[in-house]
Amino acid sequence: MSESRVLIIDHDAERAHAHAAILQFIDYRAVHVDSVAEIPLADHRPQDWLAILLGHETQWDRLEQFVDWLRRDRYHPPVLVLQPYLEMARERLGLDESALLTLETPVKYSQLNELLRRAGLLRMDRQAAATRRSGPTGNSTAIRRVRQMIAQVAPFDSTVMITGESGTGKEVAARAVHDQSARRDQPFVAVNCGAIPSELLESELFGHEKGAFTGAITARKGRFEMADGGTLFLDEIGDMALPMQVKILRVLQERTFERVGGTRSQRCNVRIIAATHRNLEDAIIKGSFREDLYYRLNVFPIEMPPLRERLEDLPMLMDDLAKAMERNGHGQAALTADAVHALRAYHWPDNVRELSNLFERLAVLHPGRQVSAAELPRQYRGVAAGTATASAQAPAPKPAPVYNDCVVLPQSAEAPVAQRLGSQLPPEGVNLKDHIEAIEIDLIKQALDKSDGVVAHAAKLLNTRRTTLVEKLRKYGLSRDLQDDDPLDGPQNESVGRARQS
C-alpha cells in the first residue's frame, strides 16, 4: 500500500538494510535506492511515499532535482534526514523546517515511529478534508491539541477564554465550541469589546429602555438578550474599560442584568466565550483588568498558536481559503509550488487573517490562473535576496580602536541589541521578561531617534502599528506622562519628545 511505503535514499547499503528492518518491524514497507538517480520520476508521483528517509547521497545535484520535483506537489511527503547530513541538506535542498525533519543517529525506534505516525495522520487529514468537523484548519500538533480541547469543553456550559495573537482564528475556535455544543441550534452572537466606545458598550450588551438617554426613542434589546439560549462571544475583552468589567462580572456571578434606564432584572441563559490578544495577567498587575473577572472568565483556557509556529498547515489553509472564496464569488486563487515554498518562509505577523487577505488580493490581480513566487507581493517573496543585496551595499565597518593591544568594541546605538545586552546565559540565570523588555526598549529608543521623535515613522521602522507603539511608550515611560486626552491619541500630532534615559 502506498500509504505505508517509505523511500530510503542511502549509499550505505548496510545501514539502509538495518533501517529497512526497523521499518518492517513497525509495519512499514521500505523501498531502498543507493541514489535518487535510480528513481524513474516519470513513473512516480510524490504521494507514492509516506516519507523519505535520506542518508548518504553521492549525487547532490540529482538530489536537488528530485526535491524540486517533490515540491511540485504542495502535499509532498516529509524528508527525514539522518543527523550527519542535516546541515548539508538544509544548505542544498532549500526545504523549510516543517518539511525537513531530523532523525537522530543511531536511529531510535520511538522517534522514527512518531515521525511516521504524524506523516500518516497528515495524509489521513488531507484525505478527509471534505468531512472535517468545524474548527481551526490544520494537522499540526498545536492545532490537533486545540481541536481536542474544543471537543472536550463543547458539551459543557463552562466559560471559555481563548487567547492568541491577532488574526490567529480565535472566533473560528469560538464558533467551533458553539457548533459542537448542545446550543448549536441557538444564536451565536459576537461583539468586539474593543471596537465599541466604552460609553456605548453597556447599551450594546444589555440593551436600553425608551428614553434612557438622548436618542433612545425606542427600547432595544442588547446582545445578552439576542444570545438567549445560545452563546455570547466577547471578543477583545482585554480592551474593556474597568467600570464595564464590574458589570460583566455581576452578570457572570448572578446571571441577571438590567437594561440601561430599566429597573427590572432579567435572567440570561447564555454561554460566555471570551477572547483577547493581550496578556491579561500583565494587565492585572498594571491595574487595567480586574483579577476577579479574569478568574471568572479563565475557567477553560484555549491558546491559539500563531501561523509561523504551524507552517505545515499552510497547504490545508490555502485550500480552504481558495474554496471559500470560490463559494463566495470572489474568484479563484491558486499558487505554484515555488510560491507555496516562498510563503512557508514568511513570518506572518497578522497570521491567518493576513493569509486570507493575500489570497483575496491574488484572486483580484490574477483571476483564474496559478500565481508564481515572482508574482507574489514583494514582502512574500523571501528575504534572502534582499538581505544579500543590503549586505553587499553596506559600507565596510570602521576598525575598532586598539589600546594596549586590546580591541575596544564600540557600544553605540547602532550596535546590535543582542551584542550590547549579551547573548550568553550567565551562570546565575536571567529574568527573561526583563531581558526581553530591555531589548524592546532599546529598539524603540533607536527608532524614535532615527525618526526624530515622529511616532508614525518610528512605528514604520519597527514594522508595527502606531497605536501599538503608543501603548508601549506609555508602558515603558519613554515619553512624557500621557493623560487620557494626550495628543498622541489623535492623528493631528504624531511627535513625541525624545525618549527619557531609563
Side-chain angles (χ1 to χ4, degrees), residues 12 17 22 74 95 134 148 160 192 269 273 370:
D12 187 333
H17 180 74
I22 295 175
R74 66 170 64 180
L95 290 169
S134 64
Q148 180 184 8
V160 178
N192 189 325
N269 173 25
I273 301 177
Q370 285 194 322

Side-chain angles (χ1 to χ4, degrees), residues 268-403:
C268 63
N269 173 25
V270 296
R271 187 208 190 129
I272 301 294
I273 301 177
T276 183
H277 72 282
R278 299 189 183 280
N279 186 324
L280 294 185
E281 293 179 351
D282 284 351
I284 291 171
I285 295 173
K286 296 170 188 173
S288 60
F289 200 85
R290 292 181 61 95
E291 186 174 13
D292 47 5
L293 177 58
Y294 172 74
Y295 289 116
R296 279 283 180 178
L297 294 171
N298 201 42
V299 176
F300 193 93
I302 297 176
E303 183 175 0
M304 296 298 296
L307 182 54
R308 63 180 174 275
E309 294 180 6
R310 57 184 190 103
L311 292 175
E312 61 198 271
D313 294 334
L314 265 179
M316 286 186 179
L317 287 166
M318 292 174 183
D319 279 353
D320 277 7
L321 290 171
K323 291 174 183 176
M325 284 196 302
E326 190 172 358
R327 285 195 305 267
N328 296 332
H330 291 164
Q332 293 181 335
L335 302 178
T336 61
D338 65 329
V340 174
H341 183 61
L343 293 182
R344 284 178 182 269
Y346 184 62
H347 59 288
W348 300 108
D350 203 32
N351 297 291
V352 181
R353 178 167 52 211
E354 184 177 2
L355 178 63
S356 176
N357 293 340
L358 172 65
F359 258 66
E360 186 169 349
R361 177 179 177 181
L362 294 177
V364 173
L365 293 175
H366 310 283
R369 67 181 185 85
Q370 285 194 322
V371 180
S372 66
E375 296 172 308
L376 291 173
R378 184 179 301 276
Q379 67 267 34
Y380 299 102
R381 298 176 198 165
V383 298
T387 303
T389 302
S391 300
Q393 295 175 349
K398 296 180 180 179
V402 178
Y403 300 101

